[in-house]
Amino acid sequence: MAEATPTRVFVYGTLKRGFPNHPLLVACASPFVGAASTAAPASLVIGPYSVPFLLPTPSSSSSGRVVAGELYAPSPAALAELDALEGTHIGAYERRPITVVADGSGEVVEAEAYFAHPSYAEALWRRCGGEAAEIGEYTADHAARYVPINERAAGAAGLMEAVHRFLATAHDS
């Protein structure tokens, strides 16, 4: 019997090569498939701790942007490690289907990506500044301000506490 095609995961932030959480992909022996971008525009914003959040759907008041990232082929065990990092068990992110286009070849690939949980995604988008805050790529400048999980109060749960505090504060213009 033929083996099932491994799940492809599109990463757009701290898991990319050269970024703070990439060592997890290396430790899990997750093969790099290639650079890719979202096939359709999406909303990517930077939240507390300089954490990137891809939103489940662009807001009706946003046309979104094509988001650049990388594709990996993690094993089921590696996916479990990624889910733990991304806080899927506490509602920080959801791993959901996404269509991406491989850079160079133009091949359309069905993958999965970690999206901000819908329970707070729209409010986060608005609080970050809406369409004006959307970016097409999480860069080294963003990563330089990133606060790793082990440096946050309450670890992974600390991200959700920070998101809730961020959403509760008035937007300073």
Side-chain angles (χ1 to χ4, degrees):
M1 185 184 326
E3 286 187 33
T5 302
T7 299
R8 303 283 191 242
V9 173
F10 175 72
V11 302
Y12 52 84
T14 65
L15 285 163
K16 295 188 305 183
R17 290 174 299 165
F19 286 75
N21 289 323
H22 184 73
L24 177 63
L25 286 169
V26 173
C28 292
S30 296
F32 174 72
V33 176
S37 298
T38 56
S43 295
L44 177 63
V45 298
I46 305 300
Y49 299 128
S50 198
V51 170
F53 291 91
L54 190 63
L55 305 181
T57 56
S59 167
S60 59
S61 57
S62 170
S63 55
R65 295 174 184 249
V66 171
V67 175
E70 298 174 348
L71 270 178
Y72 289 85
S75 67
L79 277 175
E81 293 287 332
L82 292 170
D83 285 351
L85 172 74
E86 301 293 357
T88 59
H89 61 291
I90 60 170
Y93 289 89
E94 284 187 328
R95 183 164 37 94
R96 298 176 54 173
I98 191 168
T99 303
V100 298
V101 178
D103 291 2
S105 72
E107 178 187 2
V108 175
V109 178
E110 296 305 319
E112 294 180 350
Y114 290 92
F115 288 84
H117 195 277
S119 65
Y120 68 85
E122 183 76 16
L124 180 68
W125 179 84
R126 284 192 310 272
R127 175 62 178 85
C128 285
E131 189 169 13
E134 293 175 351
I135 59 173
E137 183 173 10
Y138 187 78
T139 66
D141 287 340
H142 299 117
R145 295 184 297 276
Y146 174 75
V147 178
I149 290 174
N150 63 351
E151 295 178 18
R152 299 177 202 157
L159 175 60
M160 290 312 301
E161 291 171 12
V163 166
H164 292 299
R165 277 193 313 274
F166 182 68
L167 295 177
T169 59
H171 182 65
D172 298 326
S173 299

